[in-house]
Amino acid sequence: LNVADPHNWVALVAFLVTSVVVGHLSNRLKRQTAEIAGRQRETEQLYAFSKAMLLMDTSLPAGLQTAERVAETFQCAGVSLFDSSSGNIYKTGAIRETEIDESLKRTAGDGTRRTVKGDTVILPIALGSRPIGSLALKHLTCSEGVLRALVNLVAIALEREQSASIASQAEAARQSQEFKSTLLDAIAHEFKTPLTSIKAASTSILSGSLRPTGPLRELADIIDEEADRLTTLVTDAVRISQIEAG
């Protein structure tokens, strides 16, 4: 390389500096573009996952559906979800190892993040300060913010299932209570008819022209008093059923 004019050395250096600066700026722009595209993809994945959580089938376990949706939406090789309330572990994909189960339970208990076999991360799931489970993800590449958002969405899904279960149990208990009140009311009304007849008969015997004497009189008095007591008990039962029915 022969440069005769010293001015050409200045031009050559300027060209070299310019090419280095432009190359650096171009690489930085490419990285920023890739980061923006990655954040956009992660945002779309979180939106798709949250939408899938709202459309879950209530007849199937929420834990199993959540694990399947995570693996499908985030293209994860395997997902394992531990639900502390039920004690169930739901698995999908390439996670089949039994040693993952113990790590899931320990993570749910102490709230410590773990990495198993180098490619599986186990995250604690908490609602506020209350631990409710843990989530194992195999071969998942995403930002830390996406992991936190994903765990929060999973926590909401598990809490929704638990709330729905509590509401279902409360509704079943309410219906059982209503049935019991209705049955008690029906039985009480059925008792009232023969009790009225017994009371009328005993009163007629005691106040009639042929009043019994001796032991017969005593037995008639017992029948009359016990009929009054049974009538009082039946009336109280009817009132209780009315109070319980609102």
Side-chain angles (χ1 to χ4, degrees):
L1 179 63
N2 184 17
V3 180
D5 192 343
H7 293 287
N8 291 336
W9 282 105
V10 176
L12 179 60
V13 171
F15 280 130
L16 291 175
V17 171
T18 302
S19 64
V20 171
V21 172
V22 170
H24 176 72
L25 293 176
S26 177
N27 289 332
R28 188 171 68 176
L29 181 60
K30 288 180 181 179
R31 287 196 303 270
Q32 291 176 348
T33 302
E35 290 175 0
I36 292 173
R39 285 196 294 268
Q40 181 179 0
R41 184 182 66 256
E42 290 175 346
T43 303
E44 292 174 351
Q45 288 175 332
L46 286 174
Y47 171 74
F49 179 71
S50 60
K51 184 178 178 181
M53 291 296 95
L54 295 175
L55 300 176
M56 283 196 306
D57 188 356
T58 55
S59 63
L60 297 175
L64 178 60
Q65 295 184 77
T66 301
E68 292 174 347
R69 297 295 185 277
V70 171
E72 178 183 352
T73 305
F74 293 91
Q75 298 164 4
C76 189
V79 177
S80 184
L81 175 61
F82 172 61
D83 184 2
S84 299
S85 62
S86 64
N88 294 327
I89 297 178
Y90 305 96
K91 294 181 180 181
T92 184
I95 293 185
R96 298 299 177 192
E97 299 86 352
T98 55
E99 59 263 25
I100 295 292
D101 299 349
E102 292 300 323
S103 299
L104 281 168
K105 294 176 181 178
R106 287 199 300 270
T107 300
D110 57 24
T112 302
R113 177 172 175 171
R114 288 178 169 83
T115 300
V116 182
K117 294 187 175 181
D119 60 355
T120 302
V121 59
I122 302 179
L123 304 170
I125 302 174
L127 204 62
S129 58
R130 179 170 60 92
I132 62 173
S134 56
L135 181 67
L137 304 169
K138 187 172 185 178
H139 292 161
L140 177 63
T141 304
C142 61
S143 63
E144 191 66 27
V146 171
L147 285 178
R148 288 195 297 267
L150 174 59
V151 169
N152 291 334
L153 289 173
V154 172
I156 293 173
L158 294 179
E159 185 66 16
R160 277 185 58 204
E161 183 187 39
Q162 188 174 2
S163 299
S165 176
I166 293 174
S168 177
Q169 293 174 2
E171 178 63 19
R174 185 188 65 81
Q175 292 179 358
S176 175
Q177 185 67 27
E178 287 182 356
F179 174 75
K180 185 184 74 174
S181 299
T182 303
L183 182 62
L184 182 61
D185 184 65
I187 292 175
H189 279 91
E190 288 296 324
F191 270 109
K192 278 208 163 196
T193 300
L195 283 175
T196 302
S197 300
I198 294 171
K199 178 63 179 177
S202 63
T203 302
S204 299
I205 292 173
L206 292 173
S207 61
S209 56
L210 299 176
R211 297 179 181 178
T213 58
L216 292 179
R217 171 74 184 194
E218 185 178 351
L219 292 174
D221 287 336
I222 292 174
I223 293 172
D224 190 70
E225 291 174 1
E226 294 301 322
D228 288 337
R229 191 166 73 90
L230 284 174
T231 301
T232 301
L233 291 175
V234 170
T235 302
D236 290 343
V238 172
R239 290 174 179 170
I240 289 173
S241 66
Q242 291 173 346
I243 290 172
E244 290 180 344

